[in-house]
Amino acid sequence: MPRSPSRDRSDRFTGFRGYVREPDRYARAKSAALLSAGVLVGLWLVVEAAHPRAAAFHTHGELANPHAAWDQNCAACHKQHGISDFSLSTVLNAQDRWHDLTCTKCHAGPSHHQTMDAEGVAFHDKCSNCHHDHAGRTASLTRIADHHCVRCHENLPGHTSGPTNYEKTVTSFASAHPEFKALRDYPPGTNYAPRKLKFSHAVHMFPGMGTGMSPDRIRELSGDDAARRYGEIRSKTPVALACASCHQLDAQVPTAADPPGESRQQFDQISLLLRGQPRAAVQPPRAAGAYYLPVNYDAHCKACHPTGVPGGAVGGGDNALNVAGFLVPHRLQMTEAEPLVRGGFWAQLAKASPAVAKAKLPGGRLDPAPAPDVTATFGGEIDRLTRTALAWMVADPEPAKAEDRPAAQGVACAKCHAFTGEGKAAKVEALPQHTVWFAHARFNHVSHRGLTCAECHPGTGPFTTAPPPRPNETEPVAILGVKSCQACHAPAGTRVEQADKTTTTAAGVRHGCTDCHRYHNGDRPLHGLGSPVRDPHTPQTLADFLSGGKK
Amino acid sequence: MLLSKNWSVGRRVAVILVVTAAAGLIPYAVMRATDSWVLPSSRTGVLLGLLGAAIIFFEMALYVRKKFRRFKGWPPLLWNVRVWLWVHVVLGIAVLPVILVHGKYGFGGFVPALTMVLFLATIASGVWGLVVQQWLPQELIDTVPDETVASQVNRVAAAYVGRKPVVWSKEHDRDRTGEIFRLLESLTLEGAEPGEVLPAPGGGAVVAARSEALVRGKPAEELWKFCEGLLVPYLERGRSSGSPLASEYDARRRFMQLRESLPAEAWDAIGRLEQLAQYRREWDAQQRVNGWLHAWVPVHLGLSAAMTGVMLVHAVRAMKYW
């Protein structure tokens, strides 16, 4: 009788039917895998507990360079939360716990604008809402994505607690950015105060400045040092100014180690002109070169335009005396200049008439003596000359040809300055502080030094045609509009129509809000990083600092 | 049921892959299109993280449930292992988008990244397991009609050679009393009384079956040599023995040569020997298929356990600072 296949199969296991109680290799492998996983996780826990850099395993990215010291120390910036901090209502608020930072241990971040509404204040109280770290060593903590700014600036009135003077809707630099404030409402209107200083680039950037100004004439006006600064090989060659003759970057003061060159030479020449004055006032020792220093009268104007008063005639007939004009110091109001002018005329009159200097003065009560004739009217003449000179300084009755003006006379204040009031009460109008024109934005001239100045500052020369007889001495704001920036700073390929109707194609240079603007300290935008309002409340020791600061 | 057994293998595999891919990619496509990403630390992100962790713990519980397979709880459906396995598969795919969205489709720092990599590897191994479970069992039925218990293949095959004298003897230390040697003895031994124990030419001993051998002389030696040199090692160690019988073509050729040298009366016995070699070939194939069918489980389990451990470290550390 043939065996059935089932029986055959069954018989194969005769003698070892208990095999089912023995783990096969897959069962053993499962146990081994579980055991291995458990051992590995256990080892990891040991590493977590013992490794000094264990915290670095958990971050989602390296900290930026300024914070690199705390890559392994989460508690340096993050407040730790224990079991007691959790409740049913807060357990999901991980982001709030994550944003519970201690930035102000080291950073004081002044508020943006006081007019921000309560929601905005609450949002901006958490630094990490905008400043995102853990994005790698080289990531910028201050280059903030546009949407952080647009959050409010796309509808600014909706995010302020009161009226605002700023543009109501700004969404991007490339496509929805207002014109520069200085150019809006120009000519003079709401946002623009006319310049208080008379100056014409058309005159000054033309060789000889329309008056045949030469080094010889400068020597006559202000001496050899001034003539050397502007001198050419041939001293009768008309002086041709360049932008850098007056506009200097806030760059480093050259030292003896610096190679001789144009900048070194220029600095040395300016130093000569400023002899006796603190040089650091106009040349800070180490600066970034972002801005141009203010034009300084003593360094840049005085050589051609020394301030002074004209002389005059005293007396009449055969006894008439000609009193010469003389120079007076700069930076004086009329009330301050008046005694100097009066004293100057005393000296000039005495020089013109030695008899006056030698005249006997009245003797006194016990020795009365008659006053000489010439002294009888001396005081009155001095008063008259002083009054005339002060009126001249305020009115600037310029002679027909500037080159005919006596060197000793100098120029009147009113040649450049505007006045309020009259006579002795006249006051030079204060000049607005325009070292930084973009008060709410940053600009770095050094970064743009590849361009000529006139590319962005139209109407500043150099000029090859003679200036008109009556040049515009208050000039428009000499800067192109925001579209000239967008020629480079816009997404690559963006076509921008410029003011001159030409069309440029943007190069894709960065164009984020924070490339020009800074958020903090919005009400005091000229307070830089060095401002005391940014100082931490409690400076720390190095040991405290490196360990994450005082808790 | 998610997958019908009436579907073709290709259709079932396609459904698994499409559903898994959709689960992983659709949330990404939606969030990318709407640019509304869920931050891991947001309320939604944390909620998803907690939900994912809960699912993962349930998935891990399947191992425990299988360990205590005989446990009967109430209601029975809740404790049914097959139902657990089905829910395990469904939630295993469902947890993929949950964790990916929680992680913002990124990796984060080292530990979160390690957790995510282990998680993805676990899901991948699980999906792989699901796919092979659709395909290989049928393959096994088709290619191994005479299958046996895969883990016992070596033992079953070696049993045709003989028995181990003691339990701790090595597999190749068998006593040569198995079916092969009984057949050889029946064909080749002579000059002995039936039932007499005689030394076998290839070593060992056999019990004589008849007094006159069916196969004698050189053919008998060749037959013994064939069995001792090729068949027995192949049955004991399978492919690793290096026997040409591992090849069906070679085996057929060699058994054909063997038949030509033997009288026709011996062919039945030779046929049985060929069948034993065929068994071993099928069982080798069965072991290979079985390996593909089950080897992923330890990998899946190990990855799951490691991922769960690292996930706990990640969660505790994150909660401490979040």
Side-chain angles (χ1 to χ4, degrees), chain A residues 26 57 59 80-81 93 95 97, chain B residues 41 43 109 111 291 320 322:
Chain A
Y26 298 112
F57 299 138
T59 64
Q80 296 191 66
H81 292 271
N93 293 344
Q95 202 156 27
R97 291 193 290 278
Chain B
S41 60
R43 293 176 72 91
V111 171
K320 187 178 175 186
W322 284 7

Side-chain angles (χ1 to χ4, degrees), chain B residues 3 5 41 46 55 79-80 105 149 169 190 210 269 285 297 301:
Chain B
L3 297 170
K5 288 187 176 178
S41 60
V46 176
I55 293 175
W79 297 96
N80 184 297
Y105 282 83
V149 177
S169 297
E190 61 181 338
R210 63 173 68 84
V297 177
L301 188 64

Side-chain angles (χ1 to χ4, degrees), chain A residues 12 16 19 22, chain B residues 152-160 171 174:
Chain A
R12 292 171 188 162
F16 53 96
Y19 74 89
E22 298 171 14
Chain B
Q152 303 301 314
V153 163
N154 284 342
R155 193 184 272 183
V156 167
Y160 290 110
E171 285 295 331
R174 293 177 178 264

Side-chain angles (χ1 to χ4, degrees), chain A residues 50-91:
Chain A
H51 199 292
R53 297 168 63 93
F57 299 138
H58 294 270
T59 64
H60 58 80
E62 279 186 326
L63 292 174
N65 271 319
H67 295 155
W70 305 292
D71 234 357
Q72 290 82 44
N73 185 2
C74 306
C77 303
H78 292 274
K79 286 183 185 169
Q80 296 191 66
H81 292 271
I83 295 295
S84 58
D85 296 320
F86 291 88
S87 68
L88 277 178
S89 60
T90 63
V91 70

Side-chain angles (χ1 to χ4, degrees), chain B residues 2-26:
Chain B
L2 188 66
L3 297 170
S4 168
K5 288 187 176 178
N6 296 326
W7 293 353
S8 66
V9 171
R11 185 174 175 185
R12 276 180 280 164
V13 170
V15 166
I16 292 168
L17 296 180
V18 167
V19 168
T20 307
L25 297 178
I26 285 178

